[in-house]
Amino acid sequence: MNYETQFKNKVIGENDITLHCVDQIYGVFDEKKKSLFGQLKKYPEKLIIHCKDLRVFHFCLRYTKEEEVKRIVSGIIHHTQAPKLLKRLFLFSYATAAQNNIATDPKNHTVMFDTLKDWCWELERTKGNVKYKAVSVNEGYRISERLPAYFVVPIPLPEEDVQRFQGHGIPIWCWSCHNGSTLLKMSALPKEQDDGVLQIQKSFSDGIYKIIHRPPYEIVKTEDLSNNFISLQEIQTAYSKFKQLFLIDNSTEFWDTDIKWFSLLENSSWLDIIRRCLKKAIEIIECLEAQNMNILLLEENASDLCCLLSSLVQVMMDPHCRTKTGFQSLIQKEWIMGGHCFLDRCNHLRQSDKEEVPVFLLFLDCVWQLVHQHSPAFEFTETYLTVLSDSLYIPIFSTFFFNSPHQKDTNMGWESLYAQSKPLNLLTVWDWSVQFEPKAQTLLKNPLYVEKSKLDKGQRKGMRFKHQRQLSLPLTQSKSSPKRGFFREETDHLIKNLLGKRISKLINSSDELQDNFREFYDSWHSKPTDYHGLLLPHIEGPEIKVWAQRYLRWIPEAQILGGGRVATMSKLLEMMEEVQSLQEKIDERHHSQEALQAEAPCLLRNSARLSSLFPFALLQRHSSKPVLPTSGWKALGDEEDLAKREDEFVDLGDV
């Protein structure tokens, strides 16, 4: 039995590729691989498609008729590379077709933050309502199309100040700490050359600053992320190099790059960027927690790095954000309502490669580091994070397909274009029943999650899970033969070595930390972990690891049959099932809810037959590449029509 088949996506099949998921298209001409774009004078004998979820597909065209090849290749290039109009996205066609069939999951309790009540609830939950208020001044987006309809500002701030520069230069509330300190964000005022305008802006900024900075009662520290932190260009460049390590066309290429694995990994700087993000988040937490300061995150539009850092801080400080519902609500609040430009950053419209920056994926990778190091503190699993990253490119969900709430709300009213009598009902990604059956959804929930209600305070302080330092690289580079690759020589210790960052400039990175930061960092790590309190990651070089499940899942050579974390997890789940069964016999109860919880271990039984990257593993690389069928393409129209067709009806089609 193939256990991986139990975790099927109901929307996207194993060999389906949404057009939004296509990253690069290559053609093979006389055994040479070339990138394909625009109009071709010569057509390839083989087509290779690299996907944004790191799948690689090969299609043999050698035995296909020349006119068929021309139509197929031209159509794929056009629909994956040509700039699109928003209204032609498959999202709207699907919403129209499924208008009467869309049902929401009643168990989905994610707070959407699209009402004033939601913001008031969050203020009350965090005790921020003492100093801050939810406002509706932007209702109908009459002040700014960039801001959400509702948001939170300091109580003393006059509403007319919000309107003055269309929401720029206004401190917007993100979260309140238990000690009363607050995390704020602000978009910078527009850059002006006129001295008179600059003087007005300075006067305005000084007035705002006096509202939030009132020593000794209120002290604010500003973090200028646009000038003193990682740039979007750095993130884009690093990930472009990093992803190439996993877009492997064949086994030969895998082993050829084996020897250079660590140098290529280090040169990408992706793990270093993750470390810097986590370090900056800890610095902010130290100010909030230890120094009782307010932190103001400043960025040009407050919609990229502000989203990332404010979310990371809340995941580390607020245990509610480490539950599944809380994490989803956090993304809604900081990313969706925070105006992160998913449409541009994911390049869904193919209009600008320069705007495509994986900021949200960077956030998920940072969260994965926390999940990996402190698994019992999270209600969700790494599998949840992996499928969430995949959902960025599934064009039936509206969650990650707009630049702002205003853009979404405006386009939901396009009913006249589709002869509708009511606004479109767009799906949200948080309804996981759309993608997965109940049994598959059990893999999204962490069975080892330490629920607060089930663990008293005394027990929790006495517990500490040992951090898995044995999974990191040794302090000195191993003296392996240059003729034998890393994977070939260390297969029996693949996971132990593969996920670690080579010790180099990062091993002594902690020496550069400020004294108060270092004291705060060391003090926390010297104490037992409270899984429902503050949570800090280890950030020294070897502790930042590769998210193996996401990046290596499609590479058979990088997987271990019956090994890895899945083997350990399956044994723990079997023990939990035994304990639960005994408890049921003692209590003589068989509630349906308990029976459902007992199903989770069933997917992981017989771990000897599971891959180390379960449930996504591809255990075998087929030597014979599939021949692309041509019969189905005839329905797409004539050769000249295919490249001219509107995108709306083929946006989800298999390529």
Side-chain angles (χ1 to χ4, degrees), residues 26 31 33 103 133 162 192 248 308 365 379 389 607 651:
Y26 298 93
E31 303 302 320
K33 188 175 82 170
K133 62 183 178 182
V162 180
E192 297 286 348
I248 304 296
L308 187 151
D365 209 329
E379 188 183 27
S389 71
S607 62
D651 231 350

Side-chain angles (χ1 to χ4, degrees), residues 232 304 340-347 355-359:
L232 296 181
D304 286 303
H340 181 65
C341 300
F342 283 100
L343 194 67
D344 294 341
R345 293 292 175 250
C346 298
N347 200 15
E355 295 293 324
E356 185 173 1
V357 185
V359 183

Side-chain angles (χ1 to χ4, degrees), residues 227-499:
N227 298 315
N228 302 321
F229 193 48
I230 302 165
S231 69
L232 296 181
Q233 180 63 50
E234 285 182 89
I235 297 172
Q236 183 187 57
T237 302
Y239 186 70
S240 295
K241 294 179 181 178
F242 179 71
K243 70 181 180 182
Q244 295 305 319
L245 300 176
F246 312 102
L247 291 167
I248 304 296
D249 288 342
N250 50 57
S251 294
T252 302
E253 182 181 341
F254 178 85
W255 294 115
D256 285 346
T257 57
D258 176 20
I259 298 174
K260 299 182 290 183
W261 163 261
F262 286 115
S263 60
L264 292 172
L265 181 62
E266 183 175 29
N267 290 338
S268 74
S269 298
W270 181 251
L271 297 185
D272 183 38
I273 284 178
I274 292 172
R275 182 190 68 84
R276 289 166 66 186
C277 290
L278 293 172
K279 176 177 175 289
K280 177 60 73 174
I282 298 173
E283 289 176 355
I284 293 170
I285 289 171
E286 190 272 334
C287 292
L288 291 168
E289 180 82 11
Q291 300 186 43
N292 202 17
M293 284 184 177
N294 293 336
I295 296 294
L296 178 64
L297 303 177
L298 181 64
E299 192 181 13
E300 184 176 354
N301 288 313
S303 59
D304 286 303
L305 300 175
C306 276
C307 299
L308 187 151
L309 286 174
S310 63
S311 299
L312 277 180
V313 167
Q314 291 174 66
V315 169
M316 293 184 201
M317 297 191 76
D318 191 343
H320 173 70
C321 296
R322 301 195 285 267
T323 65
K324 185 180 172 184
T325 298
F327 186 70
Q328 294 174 174
S329 300
L330 172 69
I331 293 174
Q332 279 292 141
K333 181 180 72 169
E334 297 297 336
W335 293 85
I336 311 303
M337 293 299 156
H340 181 65
C341 300
F342 283 100
L343 194 67
D344 294 341
R345 293 292 175 250
C346 298
N347 200 15
H348 288 316
L349 298 182
R350 307 287 179 175
Q351 292 183 348
S352 175
D353 291 340
K354 293 181 180 179
E355 295 293 324
E356 185 173 1
V357 185
V359 183
F360 185 68
L361 178 60
L362 175 59
F363 164 66
L364 294 182
D365 209 329
C366 290
V367 173
W368 179 85
Q369 305 292 331
L370 288 160
V371 171
H372 181 76
Q373 294 184 24
H374 302 291
S375 180
F378 291 85
E379 188 183 27
F380 50 86
T381 62
E382 68 168 339
T383 301
Y384 168 87
L385 294 174
T386 301
V387 297
L388 182 57
S389 71
D390 291 342
S391 299
L392 283 168
Y393 310 109
I394 302 180
I396 70 170
F397 303 111
S398 63
T399 311
F400 304 126
F401 271 80
F402 294 101
N403 283 336
S404 65
H406 168 264
Q407 189 182 51
K408 177 183 176 181
D409 291 348
T410 301
N411 289 284
M412 281 179 67
W414 278 355
E415 62 274 12
S416 58
L417 293 178
Y418 296 93
Q420 295 292 314
S421 59
K422 55 183 178 179
L424 298 176
N425 186 15
L426 302 176
L427 284 173
T428 172
V429 74
W430 311 129
D431 186 354
W432 294 105
S433 63
V434 175
Q435 295 191 65
F436 302 105
E437 297 291 352
K439 180 174 283 191
Q441 288 184 58
T442 58
L443 291 176
L444 307 182
K445 185 175 181 180
N446 182 12
L448 302 182
Y449 173 59
V450 180
E451 294 189 50
K452 192 171 185 178
S453 59
K454 295 184 179 180
L455 192 64
D456 64 69
K457 191 174 181 180
Q459 286 178 302
R460 187 165 61 250
K461 285 192 173 181
M463 288 183 62
R464 182 168 180 87
F465 278 57
K466 183 182 178 183
H467 176 56
Q468 300 173 346
R469 284 191 171 85
Q470 69 273 17
L471 299 182
S472 302
L473 289 171
L475 293 178
T476 56
Q477 191 173 356
S478 59
K479 299 179 180 180
S480 58
S481 170
K483 295 183 179 180
R484 300 185 68 193
F486 173 77
F487 287 93
R488 201 187 305 275
E489 184 158 296
E490 301 289 346
T491 302
D492 54 336
H493 298 293
L494 175 66
I495 300 300
K496 175 180 177 182
N497 292 302
L498 175 63
L499 306 186

